[in-house]
Amino acid sequence: MDHTERFKGIPMSKAMRAMCKEEDYAFLRSLDERRQVLSDEIQQVQKELEERHEERVQELMTVQRRHQRERKEKERQRELEEMQKEKQEQWRNQAATRAAAQERALRERADRLKQFRDFQRQVLEEELGLSSGENSKVLEDLLLRI
């Protein structure tokens, strides 16, 4: 209360001084009340800011978790596609190997049949005493009946 010291020299009645003192106290009380209200408002605003901050943090965490789940899902999907492609490639290789083996077996069988037919022709020619050029029609008919 600096002003009390400054205004000591000003002549005033006791009643006036008491009124000024009361006004000073009332003013100071109103300042304290205002300070308290402002302090409460500041605390409320800080609390709201903290709540908003927490909400944003929660939202960010939720978004991060969702992105992470999506990334994992994409990775899993990519792995599944790769596995499918690999299985298809293996199946194609196996099918090609089987087809090649069957083709080889058929060629070998056809070669053996041809060799057997040639052998039969040779035996028939020897038994019938035919030369390879003459009466080939008769020889073919006999081979077809056998």
Side-chain angles (χ1 to χ4, degrees):
M1 294 203 176
D2 256 352
H3 65 283
T4 312
E5 295 295 322
R6 274 190 4 207
F7 297 126
K8 238 183 198 178
I10 298 175
M12 268 189 227
S13 67
K14 282 187 180 182
M16 189 65 142
R17 280 194 197 279
M19 276 178 62
C20 284
K21 226 184 223 182
E22 247 180 78
E23 283 178 3
D24 286 348
Y25 287 130
F27 175 72
L28 290 174
R29 269 194 304 269
S30 72
L31 279 180
D32 283 341
E33 288 172 2
R34 215 195 233 159
R35 203 177 280 139
Q36 183 64 33
V37 168
L38 287 175
S39 174
D40 289 346
E41 287 178 4
I42 288 172
Q43 286 177 353
Q44 183 66 26
V45 168
Q46 283 178 338
K47 187 177 179 182
E48 288 175 7
L49 287 174
E50 287 174 5
E51 287 174 359
R52 284 188 206 155
H53 177 72
E54 282 297 317
E55 287 174 4
R56 282 187 298 217
V57 167
Q58 290 297 327
E59 287 174 13
L60 281 173
M61 290 177 69
T62 304
V63 167
Q64 285 176 344
R65 283 191 296 261
R66 185 180 53 214
H67 286 308
Q68 188 176 13
R69 276 193 311 268
E70 289 171 357
R71 194 170 44 247
K72 283 182 180 180
E73 181 63 26
K74 285 179 183 177
E75 179 67 24
R76 189 179 68 80
Q77 198 68 17
R78 187 184 58 77
E79 287 175 359
L80 285 174
E81 288 173 2
E82 285 179 9
M83 286 174 47
Q84 246 180 350
K85 286 179 184 177
E86 189 176 311
K87 284 181 181 180
Q88 285 177 349
E89 188 65 30
Q90 287 175 352
W91 181 81
R92 283 188 196 117
N93 288 340
Q94 288 175 353
T97 303
R98 270 190 252 126
Q102 284 178 346
E103 189 176 328
R104 188 173 53 252
L106 285 174
R107 265 191 260 120
E108 288 173 359
R109 185 174 176 197
D111 287 343
R112 285 193 309 269
L113 272 173
K114 187 175 184 226
Q115 286 174 356
F116 181 71
R117 284 291 180 187
D118 289 343
F119 174 74
Q120 278 183 331
R121 180 185 308 271
Q122 189 179 15
V123 169
L124 279 175
E125 284 176 355
E126 286 177 10
E127 285 182 1
L128 294 176
L130 300 172
S131 64
S132 52
E134 57 187 54
N135 294 332
S136 62
K137 178 75 173 144
V138 174
L139 193 58
E140 289 297 322
D141 288 340
L142 281 174
L143 284 173
L144 284 177
R145 287 183 196 161
I146 297 178

